[in-house]
Amino acid sequence: MRILNVIAEGRFGGPQRRILEVAKGLKKNGIETMVVLPNYDSDRFQQLLTEADIPFRAIKIHRITKDWKHLFKFFLFFIPELLHIKRIIKEYKADVVHANGAWQIKSIIAAKQAGVHSVWHLNDTYMPGYILWLMKLVAAVYSDRFIGSSIRTQEFYGPHLAKDKRDMQIVLPPVDVASFDPAITAKAPDLEAFDGVKIITVANVNPIKGYDLFVEMIAEVNKMTDQPCHFYSAGKILANQKKLTNHIMNKVKQLNISNVTFFGARSDVKNLLKSADIFVCCSLSESGPMTVFEAMAMENAVVSTDVGDVNGLFENGKNGCIVPVNDATAMAKAVVALMSDVSKRNAMGLNARKKAITSVDVSCCVEAHETAYRSAVANSAHTAANKPLKEEGA
């Protein structure tokens, strides 16, 4: 079986990591994958695909964004890009096209025109109304099967899909627990230099990741305890988020916070997690979130807002702590409680890794993807086999 996996976002993040890890796993099962990705802002993704010996095609492909210039080009080059994807599908002789994101209508239509089965992967829990409208139109005619990255993703998109397509397969974002293993990971020297409690978040700087909440939570923790602690953030500061970055830095000054370090992008996230005592996820909305799953695999005690399927994985207080979205006081209380109880932190971390192994390891994700692909082919074959033949002369 050959899979053509198409993504219109080149910057390496959760979906790109999933595509890479699943392609590597499927390869071991005799299933080939080619990745189609944008030819801009995708250098790291291309490098990792090359290192893993996963073939790819970097093309000019636009997606729907708030940037009006990019949005204009999405529609302006809609037909040429659709035809380009169709040509790649035929050249690669793909059996299934895997489209990533609700805006990925080009590859879904291209698959239908090329006579190839499709799987549409939805990764979020929010999408503007006009994109939902476009997706609904395309889904009604062209898509064979849907994957959702969480139950909440299914709940969000389900009402916009035809009844026969609402049975969405849930596939949580994967973590390679053999790699994210504290037993084989060295600590990060710059965190080890601090003797107090180390609390970390890993997230690119954008509004949905809750950096306002992160800063407000730090201020609350500093009010609640005199225990030495330091907060760290690892995540790329995106070029289009300079206004938000300046806002966050000004807020740190206004709240007189001195015990926080913003690293920016780091390539040694595993080492940072190994050194951290507590991991916090402050997101306002997520479908995964993968960074929480990585922290679980690294035996971190995790405090997370109630986003994605966190509430389905956590036994609150046993293998993680869940707090309401955008509640700095609740998060601060959970963090302070863990700061003062080392044995509870350690037990929570051990339980978190056990849950990660059984629920979000990449092997689970690979198996689920293979099931989705074979189901898409089987369902289409079943539909064709049961389609009534036209009467002769009709």
Side-chain angles (χ1 to χ4, degrees), residues 179-228:
S179 176
F180 279 81
D181 182 351
I184 61 172
T185 305
K187 294 184 176 182
D190 43 356
L191 264 67
E192 288 305 299
F194 180 72
D195 292 330
V197 180
K198 297 173 276 287
I199 303 103
I200 190 169
T201 191
V202 178
N204 291 331
V205 179
N206 68 57
I208 211 70
K209 297 300 183 181
Y211 268 96
D212 267 305
L213 175 62
F214 179 62
V215 173
E216 291 166 7
M217 177 268 297
I218 296 172
E220 290 293 318
V221 170
N222 289 342
K223 292 176 185 176
M224 294 178 185
T225 180
D226 293 327
Q227 187 174 353

mmCIF file of all heavy atoms in Angstrom, residues 179-228:
data_model
loop_
_atom_site.group_PDB
_atom_site.id
_atom_site.type_symbol
_atom_site.label_atom_id
_atom_site.label_comp_id
_atom_site.label_asym_id
_atom_site.label_seq_id
_atom_site.Cartn_x
_atom_site.Cartn_y
_atom_site.Cartn_z
ATOM 1 N N SER A 179 12.097 6.804 22.788
ATOM 2 C CA SER A 179 13.020 7.934 22.697
ATOM 3 C C SER A 179 12.807 8.909 23.854
ATOM 4 O O SER A 179 13.770 9.378 24.469
ATOM 5 C CB SER A 179 12.832 8.663 21.363
ATOM 6 O OG SER A 179 13.634 9.810 21.293
ATOM 7 N N PHE A 180 11.545 9.215 24.139
ATOM 8 C CA PHE A 180 11.224 10.069 25.285
ATOM 9 C C PHE A 180 11.207 9.185 26.536
ATOM 10 O O PHE A 180 10.162 8.818 27.065
ATOM 11 C CB PHE A 180 9.878 10.771 25.088
ATOM 12 C CG PHE A 180 9.955 11.995 24.229
ATOM 13 C CD1 PHE A 180 9.976 11.880 22.848
ATOM 14 C CD2 PHE A 180 10.035 13.258 24.790
ATOM 15 C CE1 PHE A 180 10.064 13.009 22.041
ATOM 16 C CE2 PHE A 180 10.122 14.395 23.990
ATOM 17 C CZ PHE A 180 10.138 14.261 22.612
ATOM 18 N N ASP A 181 12.401 8.837 26.986
ATOM 19 C CA ASP A 181 12.568 7.925 28.110
ATOM 20 C C ASP A 181 13.559 8.548 29.094
ATOM 21 O O ASP A 181 14.729 8.748 28.762
ATOM 22 C CB ASP A 181 13.105 6.581 27.595
ATOM 23 C CG ASP A 181 13.255 5.541 28.703
ATOM 24 O OD1 ASP A 181 13.103 5.898 29.888
ATOM 25 O OD2 ASP A 181 13.530 4.371 28.375
ATOM 26 N N PRO A 182 13.113 8.869 30.293
ATOM 27 C CA PRO A 182 14.010 9.518 31.256
ATOM 28 C C PRO A 182 15.212 8.651 31.644
ATOM 29 O O PRO A 182 16.243 9.179 32.070
ATOM 30 C CB PRO A 182 13.106 9.778 32.466
ATOM 31 C CG PRO A 182 11.975 8.808 32.330
ATOM 32 C CD PRO A 182 11.755 8.647 30.853
ATOM 33 N N ALA A 183 15.088 7.331 31.467
ATOM 34 C CA ALA A 183 16.177 6.434 31.854
ATOM 35 C C ALA A 183 17.391 6.565 30.950
ATOM 36 O O ALA A 183 18.503 6.209 31.353
ATOM 37 C CB ALA A 183 15.679 4.981 31.844
ATOM 38 N N ILE A 184 17.196 7.087 29.737
ATOM 39 C CA ILE A 184 18.308 7.188 28.787
ATOM 40 C C ILE A 184 18.594 8.634 28.390
ATOM 41 O O ILE A 184 19.358 8.886 27.463
ATOM 42 C CB ILE A 184 18.035 6.354 27.519
ATOM 43 C CG1 ILE A 184 16.780 6.847 26.799
ATOM 44 C CG2 ILE A 184 17.903 4.878 27.865
ATOM 45 C CD1 ILE A 184 16.545 6.214 25.439
ATOM 46 N N THR A 185 17.980 9.581 29.086
ATOM 47 C CA THR A 185 18.094 10.993 28.715
ATOM 48 C C THR A 185 18.923 11.762 29.736
ATOM 49 O O THR A 185 18.704 11.636 30.954
ATOM 50 C CB THR A 185 16.698 11.643 28.602
ATOM 51 O OG1 THR A 185 15.901 10.892 27.683
ATOM 52 C CG2 THR A 185 16.804 13.073 28.124
ATOM 53 N N ALA A 186 19.861 12.547 29.235
ATOM 54 C CA ALA A 186 20.683 13.390 30.108
ATOM 55 C C ALA A 186 19.917 14.644 30.508
ATOM 56 O O ALA A 186 19.007 15.087 29.804
ATOM 57 C CB ALA A 186 21.975 13.769 29.390
ATOM 58 N N LYS A 187 20.298 15.227 31.616
ATOM 59 C CA LYS A 187 19.661 16.453 32.078
ATOM 60 C C LYS A 187 20.226 17.665 31.342
ATOM 61 O O LYS A 187 21.330 17.619 30.807
ATOM 62 C CB LYS A 187 19.862 16.612 33.591
ATOM 63 C CG LYS A 187 19.149 15.544 34.404
ATOM 64 C CD LYS A 187 19.301 15.787 35.900
ATOM 65 C CE LYS A 187 18.510 14.764 36.694
ATOM 66 N NZ LYS A 187 18.606 14.994 38.163
ATOM 67 N N ALA A 188 19.449 18.744 31.324
ATOM 68 C CA ALA A 188 19.878 19.987 30.673
ATOM 69 C C ALA A 188 20.723 20.794 31.657
ATOM 70 O O ALA A 188 20.237 21.185 32.727
ATOM 71 C CB ALA A 188 18.666 20.799 30.237
ATOM 72 N N PRO A 189 21.972 21.067 31.312
ATOM 73 C CA PRO A 189 22.874 21.756 32.251
ATOM 74 C C PRO A 189 22.356 23.110 32.718
ATOM 75 O O PRO A 189 22.543 23.473 33.893
ATOM 76 C CB PRO A 189 24.163 21.915 31.432
ATOM 77 C CG PRO A 189 24.108 20.819 30.419
ATOM 78 C CD PRO A 189 22.663 20.670 30.074
ATOM 79 N N ASP A 190 21.694 23.868 31.824
ATOM 80 C CA ASP A 190 21.260 25.208 32.234
ATOM 81 C C ASP A 190 20.116 25.167 33.234
ATOM 82 O O ASP A 190 19.928 26.099 34.010
ATOM 83 C CB ASP A 190 20.905 26.092 31.027
ATOM 84 C CG ASP A 190 20.098 25.373 29.971
ATOM 85 O OD1 ASP A 190 19.856 24.163 30.110
ATOM 86 O OD2 ASP A 190 19.721 26.022 28.981
ATOM 87 N N LEU A 191 19.340 24.080 33.265
ATOM 88 C CA LEU A 191 18.326 23.942 34.306
ATOM 89 C C LEU A 191 18.923 23.385 35.591
ATOM 90 O O LEU A 191 18.500 23.745 36.694
ATOM 91 C CB LEU A 191 17.177 23.038 33.836
ATOM 92 C CG LEU A 191 15.945 23.766 33.264
ATOM 93 C CD1 LEU A 191 16.323 24.455 31.962
ATOM 94 C CD2 LEU A 191 14.783 22.815 33.054
ATOM 95 N N GLU A 192 19.912 22.527 35.431
ATOM 96 C CA GLU A 192 20.526 21.913 36.609
ATOM 97 C C GLU A 192 21.278 22.930 37.467
ATOM 98 O O GLU A 192 21.548 22.690 38.644
ATOM 99 C CB GLU A 192 21.473 20.797 36.173
ATOM 100 C CG GLU A 192 20.759 19.577 35.656
ATOM 101 C CD GLU A 192 19.751 19.026 36.664
ATOM 102 O OE1 GLU A 192 20.166 18.643 37.770
ATOM 103 O OE2 GLU A 192 18.543 19.013 36.335
ATOM 104 N N ALA A 193 21.608 24.075 36.879
ATOM 105 C CA ALA A 193 22.314 25.119 37.629
ATOM 106 C C ALA A 193 21.433 25.732 38.712
ATOM 107 O O ALA A 193 21.926 26.380 39.646
ATOM 108 C CB ALA A 193 22.804 26.205 36.676
ATOM 109 N N PHE A 194 20.102 25.530 38.617
ATOM 110 C CA PHE A 194 19.173 26.088 39.609
ATOM 111 C C PHE A 194 18.780 25.000 40.601
ATOM 112 O O PHE A 194 18.388 23.890 40.211
ATOM 113 C CB PHE A 194 17.937 26.645 38.897
ATOM 114 C CG PHE A 194 16.917 27.243 39.835
ATOM 115 C CD1 PHE A 194 17.173 28.450 40.471
ATOM 116 C CD2 PHE A 194 15.727 26.597 40.095
ATOM 117 C CE1 PHE A 194 16.251 28.996 41.347
ATOM 118 C CE2 PHE A 194 14.793 27.130 40.964
ATOM 119 C CZ PHE A 194 15.059 28.340 41.588
ATOM 120 N N ASP A 195 18.848 25.290 41.897
ATOM 121 C CA ASP A 195 18.606 24.291 42.933
ATOM 122 C C ASP A 195 17.148 24.165 43.350
ATOM 123 O O ASP A 195 16.758 23.189 43.984
ATOM 124 C CB ASP A 195 19.445 24.607 44.180
ATOM 125 C CG ASP A 195 20.934 24.431 43.931
ATOM 126 O OD1 ASP A 195 21.283 23.579 43.090
ATOM 127 O OD2 ASP A 195 21.723 25.145 44.565
ATOM 128 N N GLY A 196 16.323 25.166 43.028
ATOM 129 C CA GLY A 196 14.929 25.134 43.456
ATOM 130 C C GLY A 196 14.062 24.281 42.545
ATOM 131 O O GLY A 196 14.551 23.515 41.703
ATOM 132 N N VAL A 197 12.749 24.408 42.713
ATOM 133 C CA VAL A 197 11.792 23.659 41.893
ATOM 134 C C VAL A 197 11.739 24.270 40.493
ATOM 135 O O VAL A 197 11.606 25.487 40.343
ATOM 136 C CB VAL A 197 10.391 23.675 42.533
ATOM 137 C CG1 VAL A 197 9.400 22.894 41.676
ATOM 138 C CG2 VAL A 197 10.449 23.097 43.944
ATOM 139 N N LYS A 198 11.823 23.408 39.504
ATOM 140 C CA LYS A 198 11.857 23.867 38.111
ATOM 141 C C LYS A 198 10.540 23.506 37.421
ATOM 142 O O LYS A 198 10.154 22.332 37.371
ATOM 143 C CB LYS A 198 13.040 23.228 37.385
ATOM 144 C CG LYS A 198 14.392 23.640 37.967
ATOM 145 C CD LYS A 198 15.546 22.887 37.349
ATOM 146 C CE LYS A 198 15.789 21.539 37.990
ATOM 147 N NZ LYS A 198 16.384 21.652 39.339
ATOM 148 N N ILE A 199 9.854 24.535 36.901
ATOM 149 C CA ILE A 199 8.557 24.351 36.242
ATOM 150 C C ILE A 199 8.706 24.802 34.793
ATOM 151 O O ILE A 199 9.201 25.903 34.527
ATOM 152 C CB ILE A 199 7.443 25.161 36.940
ATOM 153 C CG1 ILE A 199 7.353 24.778 38.418
ATOM 154 C CG2 ILE A 199 6.109 24.921 36.254
ATOM 155 C CD1 ILE A 199 7.953 25.773 39.357
ATOM 156 N N ILE A 200 8.264 23.963 33.848
ATOM 157 C CA ILE A 200 8.500 24.259 32.439
ATOM 158 C C ILE A 200 7.229 24.130 31.620
ATOM 159 O O ILE A 200 6.335 23.337 31.939
ATOM 160 C CB ILE A 200 9.590 23.319 31.860
ATOM 161 C CG1 ILE A 200 10.012 23.769 30.463
ATOM 162 C CG2 ILE A 200 9.117 21.864 31.845
ATOM 163 C CD1 ILE A 200 11.239 23.062 29.939
ATOM 164 N N THR A 201 7.149 24.933 30.578
ATOM 165 C CA THR A 201 6.141 24.747 29.539
ATOM 166 C C THR A 201 6.863 24.698 28.210
ATOM 167 O O THR A 201 7.921 25.322 28.040
ATOM 168 C CB THR A 201 5.082 25.872 29.542
ATOM 169 O OG1 THR A 201 3.991 25.506 28.687
ATOM 170 C CG2 THR A 201 5.656 27.202 29.060
ATOM 171 N N VAL A 202 6.305 23.942 27.271
ATOM 172 C CA VAL A 202 6.871 23.840 25.923
ATOM 173 C C VAL A 202 5.766 24.173 24.935
ATOM 174 O O VAL A 202 4.788 23.432 24.802
ATOM 175 C CB VAL A 202 7.426 22.425 25.640
ATOM 176 C CG1 VAL A 202 7.970 22.347 24.213
ATOM 177 C CG2 VAL A 202 8.505 22.059 26.647
ATOM 178 N N ALA A 203 5.904 25.317 24.273
ATOM 179 C CA ALA A 203 4.872 25.754 23.333
ATOM 180 C C ALA A 203 5.392 26.919 22.509
ATOM 181 O O ALA A 203 6.066 27.809 23.049
ATOM 182 C CB ALA A 203 3.606 26.184 24.084
ATOM 183 N N ASN A 204 5.088 26.914 21.218
ATOM 184 C CA ASN A 204 5.389 28.072 20.393
ATOM 185 C C ASN A 204 4.567 29.260 20.888
ATOM 186 O O ASN A 204 3.479 29.079 21.442
ATOM 187 C CB ASN A 204 5.080 27.799 18.924
ATOM 188 C CG ASN A 204 6.028 26.783 18.315
ATOM 189 O OD1 ASN A 204 7.178 26.666 18.733
ATOM 190 N ND2 ASN A 204 5.551 26.036 17.333
ATOM 191 N N VAL A 205 5.078 30.445 20.686
ATOM 192 C CA VAL A 205 4.376 31.645 21.156
ATOM 193 C C VAL A 205 3.278 32.005 20.168
ATOM 194 O O VAL A 205 3.528 32.523 19.086
ATOM 195 C CB VAL A 205 5.357 32.825 21.328
ATOM 196 C CG1 VAL A 205 4.607 34.070 21.786
ATOM 197 C CG2 VAL A 205 6.446 32.472 22.345
ATOM 198 N N ASN A 206 2.056 31.685 20.534
ATOM 199 C CA ASN A 206 0.885 32.145 19.784
ATOM 200 C C ASN A 206 -0.299 32.218 20.742
ATOM 201 O O ASN A 206 -0.241 31.641 21.837
ATOM 202 C CB ASN A 206 0.607 31.252 18.558
ATOM 203 C CG ASN A 206 0.143 29.862 18.921
ATOM 204 O OD1 ASN A 206 -0.850 29.686 19.616
ATOM 205 N ND2 ASN A 206 0.867 28.847 18.462
ATOM 206 N N PRO A 207 -1.354 32.930 20.396
ATOM 207 C CA PRO A 207 -2.430 33.208 21.361
ATOM 208 C C PRO A 207 -3.068 31.966 21.966
ATOM 209 O O PRO A 207 -3.473 31.980 23.129
ATOM 210 C CB PRO A 207 -3.451 33.996 20.512
ATOM 211 C CG PRO A 207 -2.638 34.630 19.427
ATOM 212 C CD PRO A 207 -1.566 33.632 19.101
ATOM 213 N N ILE A 208 -3.165 30.895 21.200
ATOM 214 C CA ILE A 208 -3.888 29.718 21.668
ATOM 215 C C ILE A 208 -3.136 28.971 22.770
ATOM 216 O O ILE A 208 -3.717 28.176 23.503
ATOM 217 C CB ILE A 208 -4.181 28.778 20.474
ATOM 218 C CG1 ILE A 208 -5.491 28.006 20.707
ATOM 219 C CG2 ILE A 208 -3.040 27.845 20.206
ATOM 220 C CD1 ILE A 208 -6.723 28.846 20.628
ATOM 221 N N LYS A 209 -1.831 29.220 22.894
ATOM 222 C CA LYS A 209 -1.016 28.482 23.860
ATOM 223 C C LYS A 209 -1.091 29.047 25.280
ATOM 224 O O LYS A 209 -0.490 28.501 26.198
ATOM 225 C CB LYS A 209 0.444 28.441 23.406
ATOM 226 C CG LYS A 209 0.657 27.710 22.094
ATOM 227 C CD LYS A 209 0.200 26.255 22.149
ATOM 228 C CE LYS A 209 0.488 25.518 20.853
ATOM 229 N NZ LYS A 209 0.031 24.103 20.901
ATOM 230 N N GLY A 210 -1.795 30.152 25.471
ATOM 231 C CA GLY A 210 -2.070 30.640 26.818
ATOM 232 C C GLY A 210 -0.890 31.234 27.554
ATOM 233 O O GLY A 210 -0.746 31.046 28.762
ATOM 234 N N TYR A 211 -0.064 32.003 26.847
ATOM 235 C CA TYR A 211 1.087 32.602 27.523
ATOM 236 C C TYR A 211 0.685 33.682 28.519
ATOM 237 O O TYR A 211 1.392 33.920 29.504
ATOM 238 C CB TYR A 211 2.089 33.142 26.501
ATOM 239 C CG TYR A 211 3.143 32.114 26.148
ATOM 240 C CD1 TYR A 211 3.013 31.317 25.020
ATOM 241 C CD2 TYR A 211 4.243 31.909 26.967
ATOM 242 C CE1 TYR A 211 3.966 30.352 24.707
ATOM 243 C CE2 TYR A 211 5.198 30.954 26.680
ATOM 244 C CZ TYR A 211 5.056 30.175 25.547
ATOM 245 O OH TYR A 211 5.991 29.219 25.255
ATOM 246 N N ASP A 212 -0.440 34.343 28.291
ATOM 247 C CA ASP A 212 -0.961 35.273 29.308
ATOM 248 C C ASP A 212 -1.224 34.514 30.607
ATOM 249 O O ASP A 212 -0.877 34.976 31.702
ATOM 250 C CB ASP A 212 -2.250 35.937 28.813
ATOM 251 C CG ASP A 212 -1.998 37.261 28.111
ATOM 252 O OD1 ASP A 212 -1.366 38.125 28.719
ATOM 253 O OD2 ASP A 212 -2.405 37.410 26.944
ATOM 254 N N LEU A 213 -1.863 33.357 30.478
ATOM 255 C CA LEU A 213 -2.159 32.522 31.644
ATOM 256 C C LEU A 213 -0.871 32.058 32.315
ATOM 257 O O LEU A 213 -0.774 32.047 33.558
ATOM 258 C CB LEU A 213 -2.998 31.319 31.211
ATOM 259 C CG LEU A 213 -3.294 30.263 32.283
ATOM 260 C CD1 LEU A 213 -4.101 30.875 33.419
ATOM 261 C CD2 LEU A 213 -4.018 29.073 31.671
ATOM 262 N N PHE A 214 0.117 31.690 31.526
ATOM 263 C CA PHE A 214 1.408 31.236 32.061
ATOM 264 C C PHE A 214 2.019 32.304 32.956
ATOM 265 O O PHE A 214 2.442 32.025 34.091
ATOM 266 C CB PHE A 214 2.341 30.901 30.894
ATOM 267 C CG PHE A 214 3.716 30.435 31.295
ATOM 268 C CD1 PHE A 214 3.890 29.270 32.029
ATOM 269 C CD2 PHE A 214 4.846 31.155 30.921
ATOM 270 C CE1 PHE A 214 5.162 28.824 32.380
ATOM 271 C CE2 PHE A 214 6.119 30.730 31.263
ATOM 272 C CZ PHE A 214 6.275 29.562 32.000
ATOM 273 N N VAL A 215 2.042 33.539 32.470
ATOM 274 C CA VAL A 215 2.641 34.640 33.238
ATOM 275 C C VAL A 215 1.811 34.963 34.476
ATOM 276 O O VAL A 215 2.351 35.163 35.579
ATOM 277 C CB VAL A 215 2.804 35.882 32.339
ATOM 278 C CG1 VAL A 215 3.264 37.085 33.159
ATOM 279 C CG2 VAL A 215 3.797 35.602 31.207
ATOM 280 N N GLU A 216 0.491 34.992 34.330
ATOM 281 C CA GLU A 216 -0.383 35.282 35.473
ATOM 282 C C GLU A 216 -0.260 34.190 36.541
ATOM 283 O O GLU A 216 -0.296 34.471 37.749
ATOM 284 C CB GLU A 216 -1.828 35.396 35.002
ATOM 285 C CG GLU A 216 -2.087 36.636 34.156
ATOM 286 C CD GLU A 216 -3.411 36.585 33.409
ATOM 287 O OE1 GLU A 216 -4.197 35.631 33.657
ATOM 288 O OE2 GLU A 216 -3.659 37.472 32.565
ATOM 289 N N MET A 217 -0.123 32.944 36.096
ATOM 290 C CA MET A 217 0.048 31.833 37.032
ATOM 291 C C MET A 217 1.344 31.975 37.829
ATOM 292 O O MET A 217 1.371 31.738 39.045
ATOM 293 C CB MET A 217 0.030 30.507 36.258
ATOM 294 C CG MET A 217 0.273 29.265 37.094
ATOM 295 S SD MET A 217 2.019 28.782 37.157
ATOM 296 C CE MET A 217 2.350 28.424 35.436
ATOM 297 N N ILE A 218 2.420 32.397 37.155
ATOM 298 C CA ILE A 218 3.686 32.599 37.853
ATOM 299 C C ILE A 218 3.535 33.647 38.954
ATOM 300 O O ILE A 218 4.009 33.469 40.078
ATOM 301 C CB ILE A 218 4.791 33.026 36.862
ATOM 302 C CG1 ILE A 218 5.067 31.909 35.854
ATOM 303 C CG2 ILE A 218 6.081 33.381 37.609
ATOM 304 C CD1 ILE A 218 5.994 32.320 34.725
ATOM 305 N N ALA A 219 2.859 34.738 38.612
ATOM 306 C CA ALA A 219 2.645 35.801 39.600
ATOM 307 C C ALA A 219 1.856 35.279 40.804
ATOM 308 O O ALA A 219 2.163 35.622 41.963
ATOM 309 C CB ALA A 219 1.910 36.970 38.945
ATOM 310 N N GLU A 220 0.855 34.427 40.545
ATOM 311 C CA GLU A 220 0.059 33.853 41.630
ATOM 312 C C GLU A 220 0.900 32.911 42.496
ATOM 313 O O GLU A 220 0.802 32.918 43.725
ATOM 314 C CB GLU A 220 -1.148 33.104 41.049
ATOM 315 C CG GLU A 220 -2.207 33.992 40.425
ATOM 316 C CD GLU A 220 -2.903 34.853 41.460
ATOM 317 O OE1 GLU A 220 -3.219 34.343 42.562
ATOM 318 O OE2 GLU A 220 -3.127 36.042 41.189
ATOM 319 N N VAL A 221 1.725 32.077 41.852
ATOM 320 C CA VAL A 221 2.596 31.161 42.606
ATOM 321 C C VAL A 221 3.529 31.951 43.515
ATOM 322 O O VAL A 221 3.737 31.599 44.683
ATOM 323 C CB VAL A 221 3.413 30.272 41.640
ATOM 324 C CG1 VAL A 221 4.502 29.503 42.404
ATOM 325 C CG2 VAL A 221 2.498 29.288 40.917
ATOM 326 N N ASN A 222 4.086 33.024 42.987
ATOM 327 C CA ASN A 222 5.024 33.840 43.777
ATOM 328 C C ASN A 222 4.349 34.473 44.991
ATOM 329 O O ASN A 222 5.006 34.728 46.016
ATOM 330 C CB ASN A 222 5.647 34.916 42.892
ATOM 331 C CG ASN A 222 6.628 34.344 41.880
ATOM 332 O OD1 ASN A 222 7.096 33.220 42.034
ATOM 333 N ND2 ASN A 222 6.924 35.107 40.841
ATOM 334 N N LYS A 223 3.041 34.710 44.885
ATOM 335 C CA LYS A 223 2.293 35.242 46.025
ATOM 336 C C LYS A 223 2.010 34.155 47.062
ATOM 337 O O LYS A 223 1.932 34.428 48.262
ATOM 338 C CB LYS A 223 0.960 35.835 45.562
ATOM 339 C CG LYS A 223 1.074 37.086 44.722
ATOM 340 C CD LYS A 223 -0.313 37.513 44.242
ATOM 341 C CE LYS A 223 -0.254 38.699 43.297
ATOM 342 N NZ LYS A 223 -1.607 39.050 42.772
ATOM 343 N N MET A 224 1.822 32.914 46.572
ATOM 344 C CA MET A 224 1.383 31.820 47.444
ATOM 345 C C MET A 224 2.505 31.150 48.225
ATOM 346 O O MET A 224 2.257 30.530 49.266
ATOM 347 C CB MET A 224 0.656 30.738 46.613
ATOM 348 C CG MET A 224 -0.641 31.182 45.994
ATOM 349 S SD MET A 224 -1.368 29.848 44.996
ATOM 350 C CE MET A 224 -2.790 30.701 44.279
ATOM 351 N N THR A 225 3.731 31.237 47.729
ATOM 352 C CA THR A 225 4.813 30.499 48.382
ATOM 353 C C THR A 225 6.142 31.250 48.293
ATOM 354 O O THR A 225 6.373 32.007 47.338
ATOM 355 C CB THR A 225 4.989 29.104 47.729
ATOM 356 O OG1 THR A 225 6.051 28.393 48.388
ATOM 357 C CG2 THR A 225 5.321 29.220 46.254
ATOM 358 N N ASP A 226 6.977 31.007 49.304
ATOM 359 C CA ASP A 226 8.339 31.556 49.312
ATOM 360 C C ASP A 226 9.350 30.496 48.874
ATOM 361 O O ASP A 226 10.557 30.759 48.856
ATOM 362 C CB ASP A 226 8.707 32.059 50.717
ATOM 363 C CG ASP A 226 7.871 33.262 51.130
ATOM 364 O OD1 ASP A 226 7.521 34.051 50.241
ATOM 365 O OD2 ASP A 226 7.568 33.384 52.333
ATOM 366 N N GLN A 227 8.862 29.315 48.553
ATOM 367 C CA GLN A 227 9.753 28.231 48.147
ATOM 368 C C GLN A 227 10.487 28.610 46.859
ATOM 369 O O GLN A 227 9.859 29.081 45.906
ATOM 370 C CB GLN A 227 8.950 26.947 47.932
ATOM 371 C CG GLN A 227 9.819 25.712 47.667
ATOM 372 C CD GLN A 227 8.981 24.439 47.598
ATOM 373 O OE1 GLN A 227 7.788 24.453 47.876
ATOM 374 N NE2 GLN A 227 9.610 23.333 47.239
ATOM 375 N N PRO A 228 11.802 28.427 46.803
ATOM 376 C CA PRO A 228 12.555 28.792 45.597
ATOM 377 C C PRO A 228 12.049 28.018 44.374
ATOM 378 O O PRO A 228 11.918 26.792 44.409
ATOM 379 C CB PRO A 228 13.992 28.397 45.936
ATOM 380 C CG PRO A 228 14.039 28.386 47.422
ATOM 381 C CD PRO A 228 12.688 27.923 47.870
#
